[in-house]
Amino acid sequence: MDDLTREFLIESQEGLDRMERCLTDLEERPGDTNLLSDIFRSVHTIKGTTGFLGFKRLEKLAHAGENLLGALRDGKLSASQPVITGLLQLLDALRSILSIIESSGLEGETDEEVNDSELIALMHELQHPGDALHSATNVNRPALVIEANTTLTHTSAKASPPALQEPDTAPPPPSQSAAAAENDALKSEAAETSRPRQSAASESTLRVDITLLNRMMNLVGELVLTRNQILQATGADPAFTMLSRRLDMVTADLRESVMKARMQPVSSVFSKFPRIVRDLTQLLNRRVKLVLEGQETELDKSLLEAIKDPLTHAVRNSLDHGIEPPEKRIALGKDPEGTLKLRAYQESGHVIIEVSDDGGGISVEKVRDKAIERSLITAERAAHLSERELLQLIFLPGFSTAAAITNVSGRGVGMDVVRTNVEKIGGKVEIDSRPGKGTTLRLRIPLTLAIIPALIVRCLGQSFALPQGVLSELVHIPPERISSAIEWMEGAPLYRLRGQLLPLIFLDRMLSERKPVNGHAAIATHTPDAASLPQRDHFIAVLDADGRMYGLVVDGLADPEEIVVKPLSTVLKSIGIYSGATVLGNGDLALILDPGAIAIRAGVSLSTVQEDIEILEEEEDAMKSRFLLVEAAQRRAAVPLGEVLRIERIPVSRIEYIGYRPVLNFEGQLLPVEDSAGVLATAAANPDLPLTIVVCREGNRQVGIAVGNVLDVAAGNDLVEAGTHRAAAGVTLLNDHVTGIVDLGAIEPLPLAAQAASSWQSSANSYEETLA
Amino acid sequence: MTGKKSIALRKDGPSAKMMEICSVHVGSTLFGVPITHILEIVGNTHPHAVPLAPVFVGGLLHYRGEVLTTVSMRQLLGLPATEGRQDIMVLENKGSCFGLLVDSVGEVLTISAADREPNPSILDTRRQEIFAGACKLPQGLLIMLDPERLDPMRLGAAA
């Protein structure tokens, strides 16, 4: 295919996308002349270029469409529903020819021209409704629409002030009244102010091949590493240090810009939905208003591609199962028109995309019955689950609540596909539903795919990267406990994690194993007892890889790092346990382990659902009533474990003061530090000793608590005040001692201006450092 | 890259029958790789080992933002691994790159096609696969290597 044709295809597809958007908008604002001329332009461009390139089929179709659109634009015809449906059909036909050209370079079979001519005849018919006397629908429908228009005009003419300025648009249809023109003008003006014109943006943009961007990303990564090495090599020379700092800054900026270049607004995915919703509502006989929010939220191009299908699935689900037919909605006392909302926004390093409807919601009982019927869960187990936990069952493979299989959804491949697709790109799915009120599906997507958070582990003297997404916790086994902590069952190592037996995989053994005879070889053929374990520290990374829970035993842990994933050659990929490689901050290479493949290789089976949920429950419990027991100035206090984010040990000198309030500049953010026990004053006397700060989450902010020691994690019991039968607030029974709970809410927020001033101060500091 | 050009300029006369190769040492044997396939020589390095990889894989090399698979000549020939550092030639074959791990890189030689001989039939099949003939130099025989035959993809498929 020559460049000209390729260019034409890209351009035409963009044009058709725009046309689709405009057509669905046109349905809401039938008189908007700007929309009409936009659509006209798209089709006209296609027609012009096809004639030049010699695609006769395309040209004929586009020509017929252009005629119809011309009539619409000139006001000889109004954009009634049959006209829009016809234009959408034309759009689909043009699209299918374009895709044929894309795959074969030719326009396709001539026998399809029969369809073409039908479509052309339809265009003609729509253009001259009077000629088609034999077709009853075509005569009646436009008349109905005009009627509807006049009533609408009537009401809004009263409401709108008569002295409205007429924008410079094409003359309104002569058949309509002056009030109608005003009304249209009002509408198009509103449309113009609310949505910036897209054509203006296209002049300042440039199409770039995605492979070029990937290459740039790679080179920037390389630059970062070279910079790191320069920084290490030139530590002593002050002049050089300054230069390398500049290099540092420029590199960081460059990296950010390249990452930004890969970002696209979610509107490029959202824009498909007005059409999908329109088609589905007609098919399913629903009345639905689609609301799109946060379209400007940006996401990496490859991630956008990946969420397209899950989102479509979720929207179909909402329309098919969620929003009720209008009659039923009226009977329930709801607005007959349902609302489907797609909302995108950023939240702490993730983009959240919500699909919410105000439909019937999900019946928890039905979900439970279905899960039991499909033996996804036992009845006894189900009785113990909370409503929220029951709802999550719909993500299990083979679950579908549709009473009947429709051609929209309900083929049994339902939400589990959504979940798998989203998890594949490192995202998460949550569902909330209230019966009778509606359902909200929330997709949590990482900002970029190219960079993932990973824990670097050490084994066989090498570094390996373990994706954080699958990591649930880390267990350290000191040398003296190694023989008792790891138990052996006929050669299979196991660890008791809170009463549950966790299969273990020794990474070093697996990696030294040359060729596994079968899936179980990695564990079974090796020294089947504890005696051979070296007496040194062992670390267990507890992993949950697609429902396979196991512990990966490694020699050591290094820092977590944000890593850039580099692909491996096919030869190395076919080993099966590496998903890629990465370059660490120090310039070393590390292989990225594939936890799922490791589990399969070692023969770890899928944990049953029961176990999964038990762990969930346990976590839930842990959140509620477990406490971190701390000691400050000889007193004990409890911090709810669910709120604890990190425990940091820092030198006292890092504590700064705003007025009298101690604060900690932590990863560029300011934490207010609570010090009611006077730990800071004691610590100031001994500046060499590290200070322990418990970083907690409180509402939307983070706070630090200065403590002397972290003692334990324990489950607390409610204390009932004698005679009242009510649990006392602020205290709990921990290890048989009455312990006060730290009230995180009482920690005063920092004044906003102070935050700004401090960040200015710290940037001034670093500036001085640069100069020094 | 610039080195390649200057060498090409230094040569005199039309050289349809001549070709330039870069000599490399592996063990006691002298090999030659056509310079048209060499992107860069990364000297004195230590590739990152890949546990469980096929034997011929010498490890990973970080090269201009990409992670390349390297092929170890020693492993291919069944020689014992050396302690210490080796040289890696970054070779290009049909658009993809890989590294060739050798003991040391020698010099650029100009050889004439007349000196080239096909593989002798007494070589074992493994060596028949990876060698691309020999070249009779005054100081001894030089074994020609063809990057296409050394591509890890091809070696992996053969293994």
Side-chain angles (χ1 to χ4, degrees):
Chain A
M1 204 191 303
D2 56 302
D3 283 351
L4 199 62
T5 315
R6 193 169 298 127
E7 190 81 355
F8 159 71
L9 284 174
I10 297 173
E11 209 171 70
S12 306
Q13 267 147 6
E14 274 176 13
L16 289 179
D17 285 351
R18 193 163 56 236
M19 175 174 166
E20 188 169 42
R21 264 195 312 273
C22 293
L23 276 174
T24 38
D25 283 357
L26 190 67
E27 208 163 25
E28 285 164 32
R29 305 193 296 271
D32 191 329
T33 44
N34 285 326
L35 279 176
L36 278 169
S37 29
D38 236 3
I39 301 172
F40 183 81
R41 222 175 297 128
S42 311
V43 176
H44 181 76
T45 313
I46 292 177
K47 193 195 91 170
T49 334
T50 46
F52 179 62
L53 289 171
F55 294 126
K56 290 276 179 288
R57 261 184 82 191
L58 269 181
E59 191 187 356
K60 270 191 215 154
L61 276 178
H63 182 71
E66 193 187 1
N67 283 344
L68 176 61
L69 284 164
L72 280 170
R73 190 186 53 167
D74 299 341
K76 292 185 191 127
L77 207 66
S78 76
S80 62
Q81 202 180 359
V83 170
I84 290 178
T85 310
L87 285 170
L88 283 172
Q89 275 174 23
L90 175 77
L91 180 94
D92 290 339
L94 291 175
R95 259 204 193 133
S96 68
I97 299 176
L98 285 179
S99 67
I100 294 171
I101 296 178
E102 194 171 9
S103 55
S104 66
L106 295 169
E107 273 188 294
E109 301 301 307
T110 38
D111 55 338
E112 287 195 29
E113 272 176 28
V114 186
N115 291 336
D116 290 2
S117 52
E118 270 173 23
L119 204 52
I120 292 169
L122 175 72
M123 293 294 123
H124 189 76
E125 227 168 77
L126 289 168
Q127 195 184 342
H128 307 286
D131 295 356
L133 284 170
H134 53 277
S135 159
T137 51
N138 276 343
V139 186
N140 289 336
R141 282 224 191 139
L144 273 175
V145 171
I146 289 164
E147 226 169 79
N149 263 2
T150 36
T151 49
L152 183 72
T153 313
H154 187 63
T155 48
S156 56
K158 271 190 225 157
S160 62
L164 254 171
Q165 279 204 336
E166 287 254 355
D168 193 12
T169 50
S175 63
Q176 286 186 342
S177 64
E182 254 172 39
N183 181 35
D184 286 344
L186 180 72
K187 280 178 182 169
S188 61
E189 204 175 41
E192 221 149 315
T193 44
S194 65
R195 291 187 321 152
R197 307 287 304 153
Q198 276 180 328
S199 51
S202 67
E203 278 159 28
S204 62
T205 57
L206 184 65
R207 249 198 289 279
V208 180
D209 195 337
I210 192 86
T211 50
L212 181 65
L213 276 180
N214 290 343
R215 177 104 190 98
M216 277 166 74
M217 190 76 198
N218 263 344
L219 290 174
V220 167
E222 178 76 354
L223 188 62
V224 171
L225 287 166
T226 317
R227 171 204 68 185
N228 291 352
Q229 282 156 9
I230 287 186
L231 284 178
Q232 279 171 11
T234 60
D237 187 341
F240 225 111
T241 312
M242 244 187 81
L243 275 178
S244 52
R245 284 222 177 179
R246 262 194 68 78
L247 179 69
D248 185 17
M249 268 159 56
V250 175
T251 315
D253 274 4
L254 184 63
R255 181 177 174 164
E256 200 176 315
S257 313
V258 174
M259 298 243 297
K260 254 195 200 135
R262 290 176 55 94
M263 305 287 256
Q264 280 199 316
V266 291
S267 59
S268 64
V269 171
F270 277 13
S271 62
K272 312 266 179 227
F273 287 105
R275 170 80 190 273
I276 292 173
V277 170
R278 179 190 187 274
D279 288 357
L280 282 178
T281 45
Q282 289 192 351
L283 188 69
L284 295 166
N285 183 29
R286 302 281 202 276
R287 282 182 57 197
V288 175
K289 184 170 75 192
L290 178 68
V291 181
L292 302 175
E293 266 181 37
Q295 298 218 51
E296 68 290 342
T297 313
E298 290 191 319
L299 204 56
D300 193 285
K301 163 92 181 152
S302 47
L303 291 174
L304 277 176
E305 288 297 315
I307 59 162
K308 209 181 275 173
D309 285 350
L311 265 187
T312 313
H313 203 100
V315 166
R316 281 163 176 259
N317 255 343
S318 275
L319 291 175
D320 197 13
H321 308 311
I323 294 173
E324 311 91 334
E327 315 83 60
K328 197 174 167 196
R329 289 183 67 92
I330 293 170
L332 289 167
K334 290 180 172 178
D335 184 348
E337 189 179 51
T339 306
L340 177 71
K341 196 157 97 177
L342 287 176
R343 178 164 172 247
Y345 58 97
Q346 267 198 33
E347 191 185 275
S348 58
H350 283 86
V351 167
I352 317 272
I353 297 181
E354 277 181 3
V355 181
S356 49
D357 63 59
D358 62 349
I362 298 173
S363 154
V364 174
E365 287 76 37
K366 261 194 202 159
V367 170
R368 186 183 54 212
D369 295 349
K370 196 75 157 198
I372 295 172
E373 179 197 315
R374 302 251 157 123
S375 45
L376 298 166
I377 186 171
T378 59
E380 304 86 67
R381 178 63 56 189
H384 290 291
L385 294 184
S386 71
E387 290 202 349
R388 216 184 125 260
E389 285 160 349
L390 281 169
L391 265 185
Q392 311 305 319
L393 293 175
I394 68 161
F395 290 118
L396 292 178
F399 189 96
S400 178
T401 49
I405 292 175
T406 68
N407 70 4
V408 178
S409 57
R411 292 187 203 86
V413 285
M415 302 306 289
D416 66 309
V417 178
V418 172
R419 183 170 79 165
T420 329
N421 280 340
V422 172
E423 283 180 353
K424 219 177 262 170
I425 52 169
K428 276 192 177 138
V429 190
E430 293 155 22
I431 193 158
D432 268 335
S433 183
R434 277 189 294 164
K437 290 275 164 58
T439 308
T440 301
L441 186 79
R442 212 167 282 122
L443 313 184
R444 188 178 287 268
I445 318 285
L447 277 178
T448 70
L449 185 62
I451 295 179
I452 58 167
L455 179 75
I456 310 302
V457 300
R458 304 279 305 170
C459 184
L460 297 173
Q462 285 190 10
S463 297
F464 294 90
L466 208 51
Q468 290 269 19
V470 295
L471 185 69
S472 50
E473 61 189 295
L474 293 165
V475 180
H476 170 226
I477 304 178
E480 63 275 12
R481 276 189 52 222
I482 192 78
S483 46
S484 61
I486 295 179
E487 296 173 273
W488 298 78
M489 203 165 119
E490 286 295 308
L494 298 163
Y495 177 77
R496 277 189 223 191
L497 182 72
R498 290 189 292 274
Q500 292 270 316
L501 280 181
L502 185 74
L504 294 181
I505 298 172
F506 285 85
L507 185 60
D508 50 353
R509 294 185 181 190
M510 167 168 260
L511 294 181
S512 331
E513 184 86 4
R514 274 255 61 114
K515 271 207 169 85
V517 188
N518 57 46
H520 297 269
I523 287 180
T525 54
H526 261 90
T527 39
D529 57 53
S532 60
L533 282 179
Q535 294 290 310
R536 55 175 166 75
D537 285 300
H538 282 74
F539 297 88
I540 302 176
V542 182
L543 306 178
D544 179 4
D546 315 325
R548 294 167 204 268
M549 284 283 285
Y550 66 94
L552 190 68
V553 186
V554 296
D555 302 346
L557 302 176
D559 289 334
E561 230 175 273
E562 304 258 292
I563 58 168
V564 181
V565 182
K566 313 255 183 204
L568 283 176
S569 66
T570 2
V571 176
L572 298 184
K573 217 173 238 163
S574 62
I575 301 171
I577 60 169
Y578 308 118
S579 57
T582 188
V583 185
L584 301 179
N586 58 7
D588 278 355
L589 284 171
L591 288 154
I592 304 168
L593 297 172
D594 180 344
I598 290 176
I600 294 168
R601 192 185 175 101
V604 176
S605 65
L606 275 172
S607 316
T608 54
V609 180
Q610 280 87 335
E611 268 175 348
D612 253 347
I613 283 158
E614 202 149 67
I615 287 156
L616 253 179
E617 252 180 346
E618 202 163 338
E619 275 173 7
E620 195 92 327
D621 272 355
M623 291 302 166
K624 267 186 248 148
S625 60
R626 283 181 159 244
F627 292 92
L628 185 73
L629 190 58
V630 296
E631 182 197 49
Q634 275 83 50
R635 279 191 306 150
R636 290 163 154 242
V639 185
L641 193 62
E643 309 298 324
V644 176
L645 295 172
R646 284 180 300 274
I647 299 172
E648 293 286 336
R649 287 170 82 77
I650 54 153
V652 182
S653 55
R654 282 208 32 209
I655 296 284
E656 292 169 280
Y657 287 86
I658 298 178
Y660 64 95
R661 300 207 51 189
V663 293
L664 172 64
N665 188 348
F666 187 77
E667 288 170 0
Q669 288 180 321
L670 214 53
L671 292 181
V673 175
E674 166 67 19
D675 181 35
S676 48
V679 176
L680 292 179
T682 333
N686 274 333
D688 298 335
L689 289 178
L691 185 69
T692 309
I693 302 281
V694 180
V695 182
C696 303
R697 179 173 44 207
E698 200 281 307
N700 290 327
R701 62 184 182 134
Q702 295 185 7
V703 296
I705 302 167
V707 300
N709 268 314
V710 173
L711 299 174
D712 197 6
V713 171
N717 289 322
D718 286 343
L719 282 172
V720 177
E721 195 180 332
T724 60
H725 299 290
R726 278 182 304 175
V731 287
T732 186
L733 192 67
L734 275 187
N735 296 354
D736 298 331
H737 292 283
V738 176
T739 313
I741 301 172
V742 178
D743 184 2
L744 298 171
I747 301 174
E748 265 179 73
L750 291 171
L752 287 175
Q755 246 159 10
S758 149
S759 71
W760 172 81
Q761 200 180 16
S762 68
S763 71
N765 277 345
S766 65
Y767 182 59
E768 272 164 27
E769 255 174 57
T770 321
L771 288 178
Chain B
M1 293 291 202
T2 49
K4 188 172 31 173
K5 202 163 251 171
S6 65
I7 290 160
L9 288 174
R10 198 153 20 104
K11 283 182 35 54
D12 31 40
S15 58
K17 300 273 177 175
M18 308 296 272
M19 76 185 288
E20 282 160 326
I21 54 162
C22 181
S23 72
V24 296
H25 300 272
V26 180
S28 54
T29 321
L30 191 64
F31 292 92
V33 181
I35 63 164
T36 46
H37 287 83
I38 304 174
L39 287 182
E40 191 171 322
I41 292 160
V42 183
N44 197 21
T45 180
H46 201 80
H48 186 87
V50 181
L52 300 184
V55 265
F56 65 82
V57 173
L60 294 178
L61 171 71
H62 179 215
Y63 175 70
R64 299 195 185 173
E66 309 275 343
V67 174
L68 301 184
T69 305
T70 63
V71 171
S72 162
M73 272 314 281
R74 279 194 164 263
Q75 294 286 5
L76 269 186
L77 300 172
L79 297 174
T82 50
E83 293 296 309
R85 300 189 154 234
Q86 291 177 288
D87 288 347
I88 295 178
M89 278 181 150
V90 180
L91 302 180
E92 185 265 327
N93 177 46
K94 292 181 184 156
S96 68
C97 300
F98 65 95
L100 185 68
L101 188 62
V102 296
D103 288 359
S104 64
V105 175
E107 53 190 337
V108 175
L109 303 168
T110 307
I111 57 165
S112 86
D115 291 333
R116 287 190 63 173
E117 297 271 348
N119 280 337
S121 52
I122 50 163
L123 281 180
D124 62 52
T125 37
R126 179 89 180 136
R127 285 173 163 74
Q128 291 276 12
E129 270 298 309
I130 54 175
F131 294 168
C135 186
K136 296 166 288 184
L137 294 182
Q139 62 267 41
L141 279 183
L142 174 144
I143 298 171
M144 294 295 294
L145 294 175
D146 177 1
E148 196 188 328
R149 293 174 183 234
L150 297 174
D151 192 305
M153 286 261 273
R154 185 180 161 139
L155 292 173

